Amino acid sequence: MTDPTLLTDTPVAPADTALVRGACPHDCPDTCGTLVEVVDGRAVGFRGDPDHPITDGWLCGKVRPYLEHVYHPDRLTTPLRRVGPKGAGQFAPISWDEAIGEIGDRWRGIIAEYGAEAILPYSYSGTLGLVQMAVSNGRFWNRLGASQLERAICGDAAQYAVERTLGARWAVPYADTAHSQAIFIWGHNPASTAPHFMPYLKDAQRRGCVVVVIDPKRTRTARTADWHVAPRPGTDGALALGLAHVIVNEGLHDEAWLAAHTVGWPELRARIADFPPQRVAAICGLPVEDVVRLARLYATHTPSLIKIADGLQRNPMGGQTTRAICALPALIGQYGMRGGGLAYSTSGYLQWDGAAINKWAECPPPGRVVNMNRLGAALLGEVSDPPIMSLYVFASNPAAIAPNAGLVAQGLMRDDLFTVVHELFLTDTADYADIVLPATSNLEQTDLHKAYGHTLLRYNHPAIPPLGQSLSNWDVMRRLAAEMGFAEPWLRQDAEAVIDEVLTATAARSPFLRDVTLARLKTEGQVALQIGPEAPFADGRFPTPSGQVELYSARLAAEGHDPLPNYSGVWDDGEPLPEREPEGNREQPSRRWRAVQGDEPLDLITPAAHHFVTSSFGNGRSQLRGEGAATVEIHPADAAARGIAHGDLVVVENGRGAVTLRAVVTDGVRPGVVAAAKGRWSKHGDGRGAPRNVNWTTSDALGDFAGQSTFHSNRVWLRKERD
Ligand SMILES: Nc1nc2c(c(=O)[nH]1)N[C@H]1C(S)=C(S)[C@@H](COP(=O)(O)OP(=O)(O)OC[C@H]3O[C@@H](n4cnc5c(=O)[nH]c(N)nc54)[C@H](O)[C@@H]3O)O[C@H]1N2
Ligand SMILES: Nc1nc2c(c(=O)[nH]1)N[C@H]1C(S)=C(S)[C@@H](COP(=O)(O)OP(=O)(O)OC[C@H]3O[C@@H](n4cnc5c(=O)[nH]c(N)nc54)[C@H](O)[C@@H]3O)O[C@H]1N2
Ligand code: SF4
Ligand SMILES: [Mo]
């Protein structure tokens, strides 16, 4: 039996009437400061904090209707046990004691027969908090000896590439765009995915700064740019090397800077000789004049800033592509300059103390690693010895968001798989659960948030008591720990004690946390990391092994990668793209398809939806209204070749699966490319009412670095749906 008052980090008695500070927990670089107006224990108002410098008093359209999310009629309020067939989503309420007891019984049986590695926790970005994400991903599972999840679904290749090249993920603050003369937004759509960057961008543009967007799709951001360049998806590595070629050819590079601050310039110089503009233009599907003009524009504006995010690198060469892009600011000496260089992520400034988060020293050796992008295959036997016998999902919705969704569904249907899903809603994934546990929303839990778009920390005070019997991730971890007989004090602490411990341990080694205390965080709203006013790398030193920008990376060479930025058109092991498809994952559709004359494959990209955060808010009334029907954008020439008219239902298919979407015929995508936003819930039905979304077609092949997902490298065939 567990004592609920002992094991809850949320207030038992409702706050009466208050204005409560919080942080937006969603996967977004802006990490907004929020204010919750509470009357008689109920949240009645929700808005952006005017005192938060990035938020500036406004929230994006995804999160503005947050109270609809918190008080959604479909919120889960009790634990549930499956009563119907697997996957049917039929459940009956049970008590927490029954739920935790049953999980414990099943796990003890599985551990006795297969060992703890047969249990796989699967979580990702439902919340980005220190307690509810980082610590909840670590401690309990490490103590249990469960399998480790390789968290490579989002931006690992870029992260790896930036760290291998520059040594750290440090980035120019949004406000430094006040100094930029040119801003290149490359494979990134901040108007949707980093909305609080946009006012800075508009200000810069008003001042005369040139804004270029490089994206196969004319996104909301591209529409505001001075110039939109639309290369073929996955060819940006070639484009970057081609820009370097032109810059060097025309003598616009900075030899002195390269000599002083880089390793491998002679080698890179030899490499870029292979990328003359004519060749690059052909690879990228761009006019050769555009490649030359882009290079000149970049090299003749100082400071010039390149801003990237993660969409750019969700392809088989995402890592090398990011390396090639990282080389450009070095080529023209932009690193260390205010308003110049590279803006990728600020998350490297502060990394929470790993020992305090994970407690490895007091745990059994880490379990084997399972790549989250290979979930379907892993459940179906790719991972064996031991096989995965139990899956515990929290803060993620893999049935909707993981690639090759048909295979994921097949894996989740396994009768002998014991699946637990901790959620706010009966998502696509929860429908496959044996036990569903109700989760608190961000208004009902304690946490501390750091950001990846800026350097402000913000404490999230719980504003209202948990809805129904819902519990936070960490509260459930503590109950599971008690059930499994783990007596370690670090599995019993409340959320605030966890924050205090991790903060203290991190502050002991990070100068950026000087004077940052839990007390300040709780009372001051946001607290800034002590980075100082200088631009990143202003001292000309890079935290790489050589202390310089590693254009040539000995570490990558040692790891078996090409040590120079490259665009090879082949996988790391030499196979041509996109031939290397894992077994059971062929792209070729049926013969029926190939028989259709003129039916060439198209490249399907699946960018962020404007009104959802991946699948979060995919069940929100306001957000669904904003987003409209599930569509696929197709160029008029490609539509005409297939007899597809604007508004038609079209089948988007490949060998992995199919989804029916409404056609939007538009020159907003380049010929050969189709685009359908990520984030729809399959259970809401596609255009034909089939329980599928676009991930039924996406590939679970892994990219060049760090086990990266490759969502945007996906060949599909389109045809008009018969009426
Ligand atoms: N509104 C909204 N905001 C979000 C999210 C969301 O779902 N919705 N998701 C959050 C998450 S999880 C993340 S990781 C970030 C991602 O933030 P972004 O990286 O900005 O978002 P994406 O839409 O994934 O990708 C950006 C752009 O890359 C383009 N693209 C795709 N392939 C290529 C390519 O090969 N080359 C080039 N040049 N462009 C390419 C797409 O068309 C898209 O417009 O956003 C976060 N914010
Ligand atoms: N086709 C395609 N698919 C993609 C991508 C793409 O580009 N194309 N992008 C990928 C990327 S970048 C990412 S990051 C992933 C994101 O995929 P996920 O990490 O799965 O993110 P969400 O879809 O937002 O789902 C989060 C779930 O967590 C739940 N949740 C929220 N807060 C909590 C909490 O405190 N506790 C618990 N227990 N649950 C909570 C929410 O209700 C929601 O169902 O999607 C990937 N999927
Ligand atoms: S999703 Fe991003 S922009 Fe929207 S409220 Fe959250 S942090 Fe702010
Ligand atoms: Mo992501």
Side-chain angles (χ1 to χ4, degrees):
M1 280 293 238
T2 44
D3 171 358
T5 54
L6 176 69
L7 294 180
T8 183
D9 64 39
T10 40
V12 177
D16 297 339
T17 298
L19 197 58
V20 183
R21 285 203 198 99
C24 176
H26 288 285
D27 192 340
C28 171
D30 295 353
T31 312
C32 284
T34 58
L35 293 176
V36 192
E37 197 181 333
V38 182
V39 174
D40 295 333
R42 193 175 165 89
V44 297
F46 185 76
R47 54 184 183 270
D49 188 344
D51 296 328
H52 187 284
I54 299 290
T55 306
D56 196 22
W58 61 276
L59 302 174
C60 69
K62 313 177 280 285
V63 170
R64 219 176 296 128
Y66 209 67
L67 298 187
E68 289 176 19
H69 179 76
V70 172
Y71 295 115
H72 196 297
D74 298 343
R75 270 289 297 274
L76 295 166
T77 52
T78 67
L80 304 170
R81 178 191 285 131
R82 175 166 70 88
V83 293
K86 270 251 161 168
Q90 294 161 9
F91 300 99
I94 52 172
S95 70
W96 269 105
D97 284 339
E98 284 175 280
I100 297 286
E102 185 164 331
I103 296 169
D105 286 344
R106 291 294 299 267
W107 282 357
R108 279 183 287 270
I110 288 169
I111 292 168
E113 196 173 346
Y114 299 95
E117 281 183 320
I119 301 169
L120 177 68
Y122 193 105
S123 62
Y124 203 66
S125 62
T127 165
L128 300 189
L130 165 62
V131 180
Q132 310 301 347
M133 180 186 71
V135 174
S136 296
N137 284 344
R139 289 188 184 182
F140 168 72
W141 306 105
N142 301 343
R143 176 67 184 80
L144 189 65
S147 282
Q148 301 281 307
L149 189 71
E150 184 169 16
R151 299 174 187 280
I153 205 161
C154 179
D156 271 33
Q159 189 172 317
Y160 201 73
V162 169
E163 282 169 1
R164 286 288 178 272
T165 315
L166 305 177
R169 278 172 293 145
W170 295 345
V172 180
Y174 291 180
D176 275 12
T177 51
H179 304 274
S180 308
Q181 294 304 311
I183 300 177
F184 288 68
I185 301 179
W186 201 329
H188 172 32
N189 180 20
S192 297
T193 64
H196 291 83
F197 176 70
M198 294 308 282
Y200 296 92
L201 187 69
K202 284 198 187 104
D203 278 351
Q205 212 170 8
R206 235 174 270 132
R207 248 196 322 101
C209 169
V210 185
V211 174
V212 180
V213 169
I214 304 174
D215 196 308
K217 173 175 148 76
R218 190 164 67 229
T219 58
R220 284 175 190 248
T221 312
R223 275 185 240 145
T224 72
D226 298 299
W227 188 19
H228 172 213
V229 178
R232 282 198 189 109
T235 62
D236 307 82
L239 183 57
L241 294 166
L243 298 185
H245 182 107
V246 174
I247 290 168
V248 174
N249 227 22
E250 302 195 357
L252 298 171
H253 62 299
D254 187 338
E255 274 294 350
W257 201 93
L258 285 160
H261 299 292
T262 68
V263 176
W265 167 232
E267 293 89 337
L268 180 64
R269 187 174 189 141
R271 169 66 51 85
I272 61 183
D274 296 340
F275 291 88
Q278 294 75 10
R279 177 179 175 225
V280 165
I283 293 172
C284 302
L286 294 173
V288 68
E289 308 80 64
D290 283 5
V291 176
V292 174
R293 185 179 153 214
L294 198 57
R296 289 183 185 149
L297 203 151
Y298 179 60
T300 56
H301 287 72
T302 289
S304 53
L305 179 68
I306 297 178
K307 182 162 163 60
I308 60 169
D310 292 319
L312 170 70
Q313 48 87 69
R314 278 186 213 118
N315 65 64
M317 286 178 295
Q320 291 291 9
T321 298
T322 310
R323 287 260 298 149
I325 291 174
C326 286
L328 292 174
L331 202 64
I332 58 167
Q334 294 291 306
Y335 285 117
M337 204 178 281
R338 289 197 84 167
L342 179 80
Y344 169 55
S345 162
T346 57
S347 46
Y349 287 110
L350 179 67
Q351 271 157 344
W352 299 119
D353 186 81
I357 298 251
N358 285 308
K359 302 288 181 186
W360 279 120
E362 296 167 67
C363 293
R368 51 93 195 271
V369 176
V370 178
N371 188 308
M372 67 190 298
N373 297 314
R374 301 284 304 157
L375 180 63
L379 291 175
L380 294 169
E382 183 173 271
V383 168
S384 55
D385 196 23
I388 297 165
M389 299 306 294
S390 179
L391 183 70
Y392 182 101
V393 180
F394 65 106
S396 184
N397 184 10
I401 63 86
N404 204 355
L407 210 64
V408 173
Q410 219 181 307
L412 291 171
M413 282 297 282
R414 252 179 56 198
D415 252 333
D416 60 344
L417 178 73
F418 176 62
T419 302
V420 181
V421 177
H422 182 211
E423 251 298 344
L424 285 86
F425 299 104
L426 267 188
T427 56
D428 289 341
T429 311
D431 276 351
Y432 291 96
D434 296 289
I435 299 279
V436 179
L437 304 174
T440 42
S441 80
N442 196 54
L443 264 49
E444 302 146 50
Q445 61 199 21
T446 302
D447 221 327
L448 178 60
H449 288 266
K450 67 176 198 143
Y452 63 94
H454 57 78
T455 50
L456 301 167
L457 292 171
R458 179 127 169 153
Y459 189 86
N460 187 71
H461 295 268
I464 55 169
L467 249 71
Q469 299 175 31
S470 59
L471 288 176
S472 72
N473 296 343
W474 179 239
D475 282 350
V476 179
M477 296 307 149
R478 295 196 288 160
R479 287 181 182 224
L480 290 171
E483 169 67 26
M484 298 309 282
F486 302 154
E488 287 79 358
W490 43 266
L491 288 169
R492 299 186 67 81
Q493 288 163 314
D494 65 16
E496 207 174 293
V498 171
I499 294 172
D500 201 20
E501 184 190 340
V502 177
L503 195 65
T504 307
T506 311
R509 53 165 186 74
S510 170
F512 297 144
L513 274 184
R514 201 175 49 244
D515 303 329
V516 179
T517 60
L518 180 58
R520 279 189 65 197
L521 287 163
K522 286 182 72 174
T523 54
E524 286 179 31
Q526 57 288 336
V527 175
L529 295 179
Q530 301 296 304
I531 311 273
E534 299 82 22
F537 314 112
D539 60 1
R541 284 209 297 272
F542 295 81
T544 54
S546 64
Q548 300 189 308
V549 178
E550 300 203 338
L551 302 174
Y552 179 97
S553 167
R555 283 186 294 176
L556 284 175
E559 290 160 358
H561 296 293
D562 190 331
L564 288 170
N566 200 2
Y567 175 87
S568 57
V570 297
W571 296 87
D572 250 20
D573 60 14
E575 279 198 59
L577 295 170
E579 307 305 329
R580 193 183 70 176
E581 286 293 327
E583 206 53 43
N585 187 14
R586 300 271 161 218
E587 274 187 338
Q588 286 76 7
S590 59
R591 246 180 301 144
R592 181 165 57 96
W593 279 111
R594 275 174 277 152
V596 180
Q597 225 190 351
D599 189 10
E600 286 299 307
L602 298 164
D603 291 325
L604 172 63
I605 53 172
T606 51
H610 188 70
H611 301 84
F612 311 142
V613 183
T614 310
S615 75
S616 292
F617 310 119
N619 64 340
R621 191 165 39 93
S622 298
Q623 293 90 339
L624 278 166
R625 201 186 317 118
E627 200 64 21
T631 60
V632 58
E633 290 178 65
I634 180 169
H635 190 272
D638 294 324
R642 290 162 183 76
I644 292 169
H646 192 74
D648 281 351
L649 279 179
V650 291
V651 181
V652 178
E653 187 183 31
N654 61 20
R656 288 181 285 270
V659 60
T660 301
L661 299 168
R662 191 69 69 181
V664 171
V665 177
T666 169
D667 65 359
V669 284
R670 56 165 292 138
V673 173
V674 284
K678 65 171 176 171
R680 294 281 171 175
W681 288 27
S682 291
K683 67 194 287 183
H684 293 164
D686 69 358
R688 283 273 296 208
R692 299 188 201 128
N693 68 9
V694 78
N695 274 333
W696 251 250
T697 67
T698 54
S699 173
D700 55 3
L702 304 181
D704 54 355
F705 289 1
Q708 174 62 44
S709 66
T710 55
F711 288 104
H712 298 323
S713 145
N714 182 21
R715 280 190 308 181
V716 294
W717 282 255
L718 260 66
R719 72 171 157 97
K720 187 168 152 53
E721 172 70 284
R722 262 167 233 129
D723 300 318

